[in-house]
Amino acid sequence: MTTLRNRAAGWHRPLMLLVSAMAVLTVVAAVGVVADPRVLTGAPIWLKPLKFAISFVLYGVTLAWMLSLLPRRSRAAERAATVIVAMSVVEMAVIVAQVLRGTTSHFNGTTTLNAVLFDVMGVAITVLFAAQFVLAVVLARRSLPDRAGGYAVRLGLAVSLLGMLVAFPMVAQSPAGAPAGISGAHSVGVPDGGPGLPLLGWSTTGGDLRVGHFVGMHALQALPLLAILLDRFLGARLDELTRARLVLVGAAAYAGLTLLLTAQALRGQPLLAPDALTLAAAGVLVVATATATTLVLGRRTRRTGVVLVG
């Protein structure tokens, strides 16, 4: 633990400052959820800043760790990360400012000021997307010591970019019953602010594009975690190439899940109420993933000459 703390002290400073600021905001927003009785779109008014602050803590730490894996410093990667920090601060500043004003930050065009602030958020997230793309390109061109870990980092960045992209249809949503001046929504087929899952708030009566967005974004953590677990528990039994191929399978399955959840939402289905077509697509994804995993392990068995006796 001490070694990890010492290493983290040398990680990308702007990202770690962002993480520290978002950790403080997490505490402030958590207090706000409890102490502030105001409700906005059916949820405590401080719940959105709380969720975003937690997400940015995870996002910042993960990106800083990924940069630390580079065998030598990259100015392009570090500058891209600094741009990401700046755009994250802009987005959080608008979200918190709108909470203090007692109104929504996303899709809000009810006044000129609200529309301008939402446009600022749109520009910020677009620039952040471009900066993360640059970061992904730099990491894709640099060799990392462990092949499976390298795949996990690069594909985690790539799938998280997909997770950002699947959020863009939110802007085009115009659910019936939405207040005047609101252009866009998280939900599909129902107004935002209706019945939702506890804490997450994802709609239980219609589709919700936040599901695919959430899952896709967290590929940043999920795929490196897969590589770490493969090394920790199967490193002695599986060679580096096999583990790398399993990470590829995991990344493809994760991207497929992100797209499936987004398609489900666009069809107006709640996460917990999939229809037969969604279930069939999920079944195909599971079978394809299991088949690919079996083929990878089978190639490893043939290559090493291991004979499994039942």
Side-chain angles (χ1 to χ4, degrees):
M1 192 70 179
T2 302
T3 302
L4 179 60
R5 194 182 305 116
N6 292 339
R7 287 182 57 199
W11 289 355
H12 188 263
R13 188 175 298 275
L15 279 170
M16 297 311 291
L17 287 173
L18 173 69
V19 169
S20 300
M22 291 302 104
V24 172
L25 181 57
T26 296
V27 176
V28 172
V31 171
V33 168
V34 176
D36 192 333
R38 292 179 296 169
V39 173
L40 195 63
T41 60
I45 197 168
W46 283 95
L47 185 58
K48 182 182 287 290
L50 176 62
K51 293 192 292 186
F52 271 72
I54 293 171
S55 294
F56 274 121
V57 167
L58 292 173
Y59 184 62
V61 167
T62 304
L63 290 184
W65 168 73
M66 288 179 173
L67 283 174
S68 75
L69 299 177
L70 289 171
R72 61 183 183 279
R73 291 184 60 182
S74 166
R75 287 188 178 182
E78 291 181 357
R79 288 171 180 170
T82 301
V83 170
I84 287 173
V85 170
M87 295 304 101
S88 301
V89 170
V90 169
E91 183 166 8
M92 286 305 303
V94 173
I95 290 173
V96 172
Q98 292 295 71
V99 166
L100 293 175
R101 296 180 65 233
T103 189
T104 56
S105 51
H106 287 71
F107 320 122
N108 191 347
T110 54
T111 68
T112 300
L113 176 59
N114 290 335
V116 168
L117 289 175
F118 181 51
D119 287 343
V120 167
M121 292 180 67
V123 172
I125 195 62
T126 302
V127 175
L128 186 150
F129 178 90
Q132 184 174 316
F133 180 81
V134 171
L135 192 59
V137 170
V138 172
L139 283 164
R141 298 177 63 182
R142 298 291 183 93
S143 60
L144 299 179
D146 176 66
R147 185 183 299 186
Y151 282 1
V153 167
R154 297 174 187 119
L155 293 171
L157 283 164
V159 178
S160 70
L161 287 171
L162 174 65
M164 290 185 194
L165 284 175
V166 299
F168 279 90
M170 293 180 190
V171 182
Q173 298 304 311
S174 299
I182 300 298
S183 57
H186 299 117
S187 303
V188 178
V190 295
D192 279 351
L197 295 176
L199 295 179
L200 295 170
W202 298 339
S203 178
T204 54
T205 57
D208 201 311
L209 290 162
R210 289 173 294 185
V211 182
H213 177 56
F214 176 89
V215 171
M217 284 293 297
H218 286 288
L220 274 176
Q221 293 83 32
L223 295 181
L225 180 60
L226 172 61
I228 290 169
L229 292 175
L230 286 172
D231 179 64
R232 174 67 177 83
F233 295 104
L234 295 173
R237 300 174 60 185
L238 300 178
D239 59 273
E240 184 182 35
L241 179 58
T242 300
R243 285 185 283 112
R245 286 172 174 166
L246 289 175
V247 168
L248 285 172
V249 172
Y254 202 95
L257 177 62
T258 299
L259 293 173
L260 175 61
L261 292 171
T262 302
Q264 180 185 7
L266 287 171
R267 295 175 63 229
Q269 294 175 33
L271 174 65
L272 302 183
D275 65 5
L277 180 59
T278 300
L279 289 173
V284 170
L285 181 61
V286 169
V287 170
T289 303
T291 301
T293 300
T294 301
L295 290 173
V296 168
L297 294 176
R299 289 186 66 177
R300 176 256 177 188
T301 301
R302 289 193 299 272
R303 188 172 62 253
T304 58
V306 174
V307 178
L308 302 179
V309 181

